[in-house]
Every structure is written in structure tokens, then in C-alpha cells.
Amino acid sequence: MEKFLALSQEKQTTIRNAALACFAKHGYEKASINDIAVSAGISKASIFQYFGNKQALYQYLLDYCTAQMKQAYDATALDLNTDFFDRVWAASVMKVENLKKHPHIASFIVSAAAEPMPKLKDALFSATNEKFVETLVLHEEDYRKFKRPEDAQLVFRMFMVLAQGMAVQLENGTDYDSIMKEFEEILKMLKYNFYKEEYLP
């Protein structure tokens, strides 16, 4: 890995994007190190020299995508929203805008979500990452707005499950705008059904 990180940023990006695209297109099992090398304009031996093996390369990509997606969230901007559902929406917009800017990452995440081997996607869909998002959108004062305060945590979990389901929709060709329009309606519906009347608009 040290030799890879010693490369220029431009070269790292070229190799990373080639690997992201190949794994996204073929999945982990069918992706070929040789195809990645050809796409990146380097030798197959170089890939092994940089990463050691295919699984290490895939793990690097998972870790990179996780870190990149975390950077997409603006915690200060999210805190400007005083309502849980508003923060969920704002965080979702941040995530989608970031994915639009990085199509290779978006395609890879969609592919990783469909992988049959959990150990390959734990970096993206781990409890740690879920907790990170939870601290951004679910605050202590939000619980009192729910008819049953204990439902706040369950609704957040529902959103995390929805996020994985939306990744499948993207894989099937649904566009971001359609998904976000539907998600906005889901947010309104859940807020109306779970919030106490005095906190409804």
C-alpha cells in the first residue's frame, strides 16, 4: 500500500477509478485484476505490488468510499436544521450530490450493496458507519416530538434500510431525482404518522 500512496495523486486516481469501475461492472468474483491494470494503463504485476491481492484492493476501495462519503456530510450545516426529518433530508441531499460528482464511487457502492458476501461490504454498511450518521441526524431533543419516543431510533433504522434499498433502485436504472422525490414523500408520511400533533406543520 505504501508504494501506491507514494504515487502522484493523478496516478492514484487513475488506478482507483479503473478498479472502482471494474468491480462495479463485474462484481467482486468476476472482476479481473488484468482488466483493471489494462484500464489503468499499468501492468498486472504493479497492481499486486501496490495492493498484494484482489481482496486487499477491494478492501482499500471500500475504506476509501466510506471515508469519502463521510466527508460529504457538513455537520455544521446539518445542525442548522432543528428537526430530525429536516436533517435526514439535508443529509440525503448532501450524499446524493456527492455521488453525482463521483459516479465511479456511486457505481461501486451500488455494486457492493448487492454483493452476496457480507465481509466484503461491512466497511460500507457497518454498525460504526450507521452510528456516525445517527449522531449527525438524530439528536436528544428529537425524541420528545415522537408520539412514542422509542420510535425515533426505529425510524432512523428504517432510513438506513431504505438507503440500501435505494442503492438497488440505482442499480436497476432509477435516476437520483426520482428516488429523492419518492424519499421526500416518505419523509412527509412518516413525520405525519409518528410525530405528536403539536410538532406537525
Side-chain angles (χ1 to χ4, degrees), residues 147-197:
K147 295 174 183 175
R148 298 194 325 154
E150 62 270 26
D151 286 341
Q153 193 78 36
L154 292 173
V155 171
F156 170 76
R157 285 285 306 122
M158 188 188 307
F159 288 142
M160 297 306 293
V161 173
L162 275 172
Q164 291 192 42
M166 288 175 178
V168 174
Q169 284 186 283
L170 287 172
E171 184 180 31
N172 292 332
T174 307
D175 62 90
Y176 286 113
D177 291 339
S178 296
I179 288 175
M180 290 301 282
K181 184 178 180 181
E182 182 179 26
F183 185 56
E184 188 174 20
E185 292 303 313
I186 290 172
L187 283 176
K188 291 177 182 177
M189 179 269 293
L190 290 174
K191 184 173 184 175
Y192 180 82
N193 282 278
F194 281 94
Y195 264 17
K196 296 173 183 175
E197 191 171 347

Side-chain angles (χ1 to χ4, degrees), residues 21-68:
C22 190
F23 281 119
K25 182 177 181 181
H26 302 291
Y28 178 78
E29 288 296 336
K30 294 182 179 179
S32 162
I33 293 295
N34 187 63
D35 288 344
I36 293 171
V38 170
S39 179
I42 60 175
S43 68
K44 183 178 178 180
S46 293
I47 297 285
F48 288 114
Q49 187 178 39
Y50 296 146
F51 299 100
N53 56 51
K54 180 177 173 180
Q55 185 170 341
L57 170 57
Y58 194 84
Q59 187 63 54
Y60 161 74
L61 295 174
L62 287 168
D63 293 341
Y64 172 80
C65 290
T66 299
Q68 212 280 336

Side-chain angles (χ1 to χ4, degrees), residues 77-169:
L78 289 175
D79 281 342
L80 294 176
N81 293 290
T82 59
D83 184 75
F84 166 64
F85 287 95
D86 292 340
R87 282 193 296 276
V88 169
W89 174 252
S92 300
V93 170
M94 290 174 187
K95 183 175 181 179
V96 165
E97 288 305 312
N98 189 52
L99 289 173
K100 285 180 178 179
K101 292 176 186 175
H102 300 91
H104 291 298
I105 290 177
S107 298
F108 178 80
I109 290 174
V110 168
S111 174
E115 283 291 343
M117 292 174 284
K119 66 179 181 179
L120 293 177
K121 56 185 178 182
D122 278 352
L124 283 174
F125 307 107
S126 67
T128 301
N129 291 332
E130 184 173 308
K131 192 65 180 177
F132 172 80
V133 178
E134 181 182 340
T135 59
L136 290 175
V137 300
L138 183 57
H139 297 174
E140 192 64 37
E141 61 270 22
D142 295 321
Y143 288 82
R144 62 183 171 80
K145 298 180 180 180
F146 283 75
K147 295 174 183 175
R148 298 194 325 154
E150 62 270 26
D151 286 341
Q153 193 78 36
L154 292 173
V155 171
F156 170 76
R157 285 285 306 122
M158 188 188 307
F159 288 142
M160 297 306 293
V161 173
L162 275 172
Q164 291 192 42
M166 288 175 178
V168 174
Q169 284 186 283

